Amino acid sequence: MYELALFAISIVAGFWGAILGIGGGMIAVPFLTLVLGIDIRYAIAASLISIVATSSGAAASFLRDHLTNLRVAVLLEIGTVAGAISGFLISSYVQGRVLYFVFAAFLLFSTYTMLRRREEILATTDHPWSARLGLGGVYPAEDGTEHAYKVEAVPQGILYMYFAGILSAMLGIGSGALKVLAMDGAMKLPIKVSSATSNFMIGVTAAASAGAYLVKGDIRAEIAAPVAVGIIVGSWFGARAMVKMKARSIRVLFVILLVVVAIQMLVKGFQA
Amino acid sequence: MKTESYEVELAIAKVLRVGVLVAGGLMAVGWLAQIDFVGNVFTRFATYQSRPLGDTLEALLAAKDWARLTAYLGLAALVSLPILRVFFTFIMFVRGRERVLAAAALFVLMGLAVGILLGFSH
């Protein structure tokens, strides 16, 4: 029964993870620790698998639908991979309780940043690196037409990705929220492109750490298998739903999710 | 150039779809073959105990626990998908003679290799 419950919640996590570009870890980690009572180190390791699953499950659809910006993703992944390795190296020296508070602070910061922006503000000019590397693109809007977009603040985006990578390795999350915020806020990409590109990137970020944790033995098949299978199923449906959703709806859902999980993590941190 | 890139992206998408199905199928088979409908298998994970993957696989092989071994095979396949994804992206940029992005993809591949090697050393 507990395994089926984990499978069911993973489907939900995969569905919303694909839509919001945040990976299943943000939902999976609280469920694994708060409901199932699993040690957070196993939960973090399992959630890295869930992030790879979310990313892989939705990436094919987003690539086909022309939402994922592969060039931006590869460039920003320089920062995330470097950060993920750094995070893995320091994670063994940080206590579990500290991880809960770091996670909660990160989520609340993300909420604040998101609430400050009420409307979608798109880039009007390309950063010189973006112009040189052809990072801009086109994406399908809700009305079915294709809209062109540009890319700003590329160096800042890479720096944000470094910190996102550290958080990914330390907290077992894909840091998709920070990636979406960096692309949406700093680089001024459309929210759907940010979400889809983030979805693509979180899998790579997580794989760098997941491979290490798998070899180390922290990823246990009993936990990770039902999570990953559920996530794959959910993300497949989520990727299809996201294309048809309005950008504003995605933003509202994103903010609500951040607040709920932040509160849960704070509670767990005080209880630890 | 961009049209060719899009064709390659579609090819990558197809490879990903097949890979996800294979990895997901292996994990599903491995998990469902040993699912416990009554008890709570997660109680043993309430306290952390360090145990390298090699030791776990040795024990599973000795016990002929094919279900869990299949699940671990699926996990390994799943973790390899992002690596494959970056590799194909690297090939795409090399073919398109986009050196900066090809170098970025190569750096990411090396970073992934380092990340996994760190697991061997810890």
Side-chain angles (χ1 to χ4, degrees), chain A residues 60-263:
Chain A
S61 296
F62 288 147
L63 268 174
R64 188 200 59 216
D65 294 335
H66 228 170
L67 280 168
T68 302
N69 189 318
L70 212 56
R71 293 158 178 275
V72 168
V74 166
L75 197 64
L76 296 183
E77 272 165 5
I78 296 173
T80 50
V81 170
I85 293 171
S86 304
F88 176 76
L89 289 172
I90 65 176
S91 66
S92 302
Y93 305 101
V94 181
Q95 290 182 346
R97 188 181 197 187
V98 174
L99 294 179
Y100 287 122
F101 286 128
V102 169
F103 193 13
F106 157 67
L107 291 174
L108 290 172
F109 169 74
S110 300
T111 305
Y112 168 71
T113 309
M114 203 81 175
L115 283 172
R116 281 178 61 194
R117 299 185 58 213
R118 294 180 182 278
E119 295 175 353
E120 189 147 79
I121 301 172
L122 300 180
T124 53
T125 57
D126 269 322
H127 185 274
W129 293 7
S130 171
R132 181 164 180 265
L133 298 172
L135 300 182
V138 295
Y139 75 104
E142 290 107 44
D143 58 4
T145 59
E146 287 202 332
H147 292 201
Y149 61 88
K150 299 179 189 293
V151 184
E152 293 183 5
V154 176
Q156 290 94 313
I158 294 175
L159 184 62
Y160 288 145
M161 294 305 114
Y162 178 73
F163 291 114
I166 290 177
L167 283 172
S168 170
M170 284 178 61
L171 303 178
I173 60 174
S175 300
L178 192 56
K179 290 181 172 69
V180 172
L181 287 167
M183 283 185 277
D184 176 64
M187 303 172 78
K188 296 190 174 56
L189 296 177
I191 185 69
K192 287 191 180 182
V193 172
S194 301
S195 180
T197 305
S198 166
N199 184 285
F200 187 91
M201 292 172 61
I202 58 174
V204 178
T205 308
S209 308
Y213 280 115
L214 182 64
V215 171
K216 192 182 167 196
D218 288 358
I219 293 176
R220 305 307 300 266
E222 297 89 336
I223 304 169
V227 168
V229 175
I231 292 268
I232 288 171
V233 171
S235 65
W236 190 83
F237 288 104
R240 273 151 178 75
M242 198 267 253
V243 176
K244 295 172 185 155
M245 286 178 73
K246 291 182 181 173
R248 180 173 166 73
S249 303
I250 296 172
R251 283 184 183 282
V252 169
L253 290 168
F254 192 75
V255 168
I256 293 171
L257 174 71
L258 291 177
V259 171
V260 167
V261 181
I263 292 171

Side-chain angles (χ1 to χ4, degrees), chain A residues 1 3 39 42 52 55-56 60 64 71 74 78 81 85 134 136 200 212 214-218 221-222 232, chain B residues 2 6 13 17 20 31 36-37 44-45 48-49 51-53 68 72 78 85 89 92 98 107 111 115 118-119:
Chain A
M1 187 185 83
E3 294 173 75
D39 186 276
Y42 289 129
V52 176
S55 174
S56 299
R64 188 200 59 216
R71 293 158 178 275
V74 166
I78 296 173
V81 170
I85 293 171
F200 187 91
L214 182 64
V215 171
K216 192 182 167 196
D218 288 358
E222 297 89 336
I232 288 171
Chain B
K2 281 249 174 139
Y6 183 52
R17 180 165 285 120
V20 166
W31 166 47
D36 185 347
F37 289 103
R44 73 178 102 133
F45 301 113
Y48 176 75
Q49 290 177 331
R51 190 181 190 194
L53 178 65
R68 283 190 174 82
Y72 274 108
L78 185 69
R85 187 195 309 168
T89 306
M92 179 180 86
E98 300 187 70
F107 175 84
L118 282 173

Side-chain angles (χ1 to χ4, degrees), chain A residues 221 225-226 228-229 232, chain B residues 18-34 66-78 80:
Chain A
V229 175
I232 288 171
Chain B
V18 171
V20 166
L21 287 173
V22 169
L26 286 170
M27 286 186 287
V29 165
W31 166 47
L32 292 171
Q34 45 89 37
W66 305 119
R68 283 190 174 82
L69 283 168
T70 302
Y72 274 108
L73 185 61
L75 285 169
L78 185 69
S80 71

